[in-house]
Amino acid sequence: MNLSQWVYLEDISEHVGEDVEIRGWMFNKRSSGKIHFLQLRDGTGFIQAIVEKSSTDEEVFKTADSLRMESSVVVEGRVREDKRSPYGYELDVKNIEVIQIPSEDYPISKKEHGIDFLMTNRHLWLRSKRQFHILRIRDEVIRATREFYHSKKFVLVDTPIFTGAIGESAGETFSVKYFDLGKAYLAQTGQLYLEAAIMALGKVFNLGPTFRAEKSKTRRHLTEFWMNEAEMAYYTSDDNMTFQEELISYIVKRVLEKASEHLEAIGRDVKPLEKVKAPFPRISYDEAVKLLQKKGFDMKWGDDIGGDEETGISVEFDRPVMVYNYPGNIKAFYMQPDPNNPKVVLCNDMIAPEGYGEIIGASQRIHDPDLLIEKIKEFNLPVESYDWYVDLRRYGTVPHSGFGMGIERLVAWICKLDHIREAIPFARTIYRIHP
RNA sequence: UCCACCAUAGCUCAAUCGGUAGAGCAUCCGGCUGUUAACCGGAGGGUUGUAGGUUCGAGUCCUACUGGUGGAGCCA
């Protein structure tokens, strides 16, 4: 073959003046008859490769001429800095080894496409530049999330995907046949299992897929989404909120440090992100209702805060907002009532700026076994299924708190995406499971 | 589950009051030695989502269905 070293485009700046080999794909070509401009991609970056008729082997020039969109190629050439290139560097081609020239037209064209077409071709759409950058940002968000927990001495506890009839509420789960044991349900949350784990490990987190069978069709919903949940023994609701704002601040800071080129590439204005530093504003549900009424929203105390209301609140602030202590009857059964006001429970939602809505749902959990059983009954849930969950309160119960953070909602906000489906490689929505 | 909108060339979209189906991109042929979603010239490409209906005449109006999109509710 040849003596050139295989290098990745993300490292190309270290190889100026050298002969190197790039293994990748040609995603576009511009030609002027006696000069070809090959736009190459290798999964780590982009480069423009130059093939001149006067200075290149005739066979190589012909090969370059024959390449079509998405041809896979190993290209050998010399690296040169050049401001005329869209990527700052160019490759003067010496040889091209064709792996495959597609025999059919590549479906994704350079012009715009509709969302139906793009989702049907999601397996190919992933190759587009914008998707490349978004997926790299998602990678950084998840990396930062894990880093933060480990820096705070949390232990990763992977919670089960198959669960019995137990969760936040029944009726919105996917079910599958499970041997002779009847139905199993796909996890809507790992929270209850994390509550078990904190009694062994103190502070724990998970990060994995979650499933919701609600027939939601909005830009904020997926049927399968990735959630990070955390649970902390002896944390009050206040401790919980302080922890959440540190987590979000850390993730945003980390993405700005490590993935700013990707944010820039997708046109994300980073100024709003630079303001995301703890502490975040906190307003009680009572205050939120008054604020919304003053702004002309038709709502009264006891109503839930919907999407429009969330935006109405978030536009008042330049950072994520935490709304705390909602009425108990619009929240889950396991939330600890406020000792100072039994009508509300100790909980909080975190609302992202710029209209992105709820990214965290959090609460302090009931730790008294009798009160928990009372609430399970009050919410008409099957007490038998929650036997082990109540058990946690029978043996050395402690006050504790936790939350769930939607990874795709976080990514969508950080990238300022129009729709959450671009924040995950293969979105699952109610009318789409292919590819 | 409910409400609204959309469906015309491979893709993105036009088509006036109901009167012979059109463009850009992609593809193929030709031209061009610095292109930047390259450009210039030429060519091919259509059962207008499906089934009915109204009409002299339907891409256009009506009904049903299918597929999709956005939103409500619900939530992360």
Side-chain angles (χ1 to χ4, degrees):
Chain A
M1 279 284 296
N2 59 63
L3 299 172
S4 299
Q5 185 195 357
W6 171 24
V7 302
Y8 283 104
L9 290 171
E10 62 186 345
D11 304 319
I12 202 72
S13 62
E14 298 159 24
H15 298 276
V16 173
E18 296 174 25
D19 285 344
V20 302
E21 187 181 284
I22 301 299
R23 303 183 182 184
W25 299 263
M26 190 197 80
F27 65 89
N28 195 10
K29 178 172 70 178
R30 290 183 279 268
S31 174
S32 298
K34 296 198 173 86
I35 181 168
H36 296 302
F37 301 92
L38 311 180
Q39 313 297 316
L40 303 179
R41 173 187 92 234
D42 78 341
T44 73
F46 308 90
I47 198 168
Q48 172 161 281
I50 310 298
V51 192
E52 281 182 325
K53 191 163 194 174
S54 58
S55 61
T56 315
D57 179 81
E58 198 183 324
E59 281 304 309
V60 174
F61 189 81
K62 266 192 198 166
T63 302
D65 193 42
S66 70
L67 295 178
R68 308 178 69 186
M69 296 270 282
E70 290 302 313
S71 294
S72 40
V73 286
V74 175
V75 178
E76 192 194 351
R78 182 158 297 179
V79 182
R80 178 167 45 75
E81 259 188 285
D82 198 312
K83 288 199 179 101
R84 291 172 298 180
S85 162
Y87 313 106
Y89 297 92
E90 290 192 338
L91 193 69
D92 286 322
V93 175
K94 298 194 170 166
N95 197 22
I96 299 173
E97 183 193 346
V98 173
I99 308 301
Q100 189 201 41
I101 297 176
S103 55
E104 290 178 51
D105 298 348
Y106 185 62
I108 312 277
S109 78
K110 289 177 279 185
K111 295 278 180 173
E112 70 279 5
H113 292 285
I115 194 61
D116 183 22
F117 178 82
L118 288 172
M119 286 305 287
T120 301
N121 290 285
R122 181 59 170 169
H123 54 298
L124 303 176
W125 185 25
L126 289 181
R127 303 183 188 190
S128 301
K129 262 189 214 155
R130 181 177 167 80
Q131 304 306 310
F132 165 88
H133 292 296
I134 292 169
L135 292 177
R136 293 237 163 205
I137 293 166
R138 177 189 168 101
D139 174 63
E140 196 54 51
V141 165
I142 291 176
R143 190 190 307 265
T145 303
R146 292 190 172 127
E147 262 176 26
F148 182 76
Y149 283 108
H150 285 139
S151 76
K152 296 288 181 185
K153 308 287 173 66
F154 277 59
V155 178
L156 173 69
V157 172
D158 297 310
T159 49
I161 304 289
F162 286 137
T163 68
I166 185 167
E168 294 189 34
S169 56
E172 297 152 350
T173 49
F174 288 102
S175 63
V176 292
K177 243 195 281 176
Y178 199 79
F179 305 112
D180 297 333
L181 296 179
K183 278 184 183 170
Y185 300 89
L186 300 186
Q188 296 180 299
T189 169
Q191 177 200 318
L192 280 55
Y193 298 94
L194 291 184
E195 286 186 63
I198 53 166
M199 308 303 178
L201 297 159
K203 296 181 291 185
V204 302
F205 75 103
N206 71 4
L207 208 171
T210 330
F211 308 89
R212 301 278 167 95
E214 290 121 354
K215 291 193 171 177
S216 301
K217 288 164 56 73
T218 81
R219 70 186 70 210
R220 299 184 308 280
H221 290 88
L222 296 168
T223 56
E224 176 183 305
F225 68 96
W226 282 60
M227 183 157 65
N228 156 237
E229 295 174 285
E231 200 71 29
M232 296 79 76
Y234 290 105
Y235 268 46
T236 63
S237 190
D238 269 349
D239 297 334
N240 197 11
M241 284 192 268
T242 302
F243 185 80
Q244 292 160 43
E245 62 193 8
E246 283 178 25
L247 168 67
I248 296 294
S249 302
Y250 181 86
I251 294 169
V252 171
K253 179 173 145 244
R254 204 76 178 143
V255 170
L256 286 170
E257 282 169 6
K258 302 267 186 172
S260 58
E261 59 173 305
H262 303 299
L263 291 171
E264 192 188 343
I266 61 173
R268 184 18 158 159
D269 178 10
V270 297
K271 284 197 197 78
L273 295 177
E274 284 164 353
K275 292 180 187 155
V276 179
K277 287 179 180 159
F280 295 165
R282 300 180 188 186
I283 66 169
S284 68
Y285 173 84
D286 294 10
E287 290 165 336
V289 171
K290 280 177 201 151
L291 171 69
L292 289 166
Q293 284 171 342
K294 208 165 103 187
K295 293 188 62 154
F297 283 86
D298 177 27
M299 79 174 294
K300 55 184 190 302
W301 199 95
D303 292 345
D304 203 358
I305 293 177
D308 290 348
E309 289 81 15
E310 283 176 352
T311 304
I313 295 167
S314 74
V315 295
E316 299 292 314
F317 305 93
D318 61 357
R319 285 163 292 165
V321 195
M322 291 188 280
V323 180
Y324 63 91
N325 293 10
Y326 285 65
N329 60 319
I330 56 170
K331 286 289 178 181
F333 74 93
Y334 50 73
M335 295 189 184
Q336 177 71 45
D338 182 356
N340 301 316
N341 177 6
K343 279 185 144 178
V344 304
V345 290
L346 300 174
C347 67
N348 76 276
D349 285 352
M350 187 187 291
I351 302 169
E354 300 173 83
Y356 279 87
E358 185 182 345
I359 51 173
I360 285 179
S363 67
Q364 183 171 331
R365 329 301 195 185
I366 293 173
H367 60 280
D368 179 79
D370 296 331
L371 178 59
L372 184 62
I373 291 169
E374 194 184 304
K375 289 288 176 186
I376 291 170
K377 286 178 180 162
E378 200 178 303
F379 278 74
N380 290 315
L381 296 168
V383 184
E384 330 75 71
S385 301
Y386 290 84
D387 55 349
W388 66 261
Y389 188 62
V390 175
D391 244 14
L392 303 175
R393 278 77 179 166
R394 291 198 176 104
Y395 307 103
T397 191
V398 298
H400 61 285
S401 299
F403 61 88
M405 174 176 83
I407 296 293
E408 288 79 16
R409 285 191 182 176
L410 186 59
V411 172
W413 161 50
I414 289 174
C415 294
K416 205 166 184 181
L417 305 180
D418 291 336
H419 198 295
I420 196 172
R421 68 186 147 219
E422 279 185 88
I424 187 167
F426 295 94
R428 294 292 175 247
T429 57
I430 81 172
Y431 292 126
R432 221 175 254 289
I433 196 154
H434 179 90

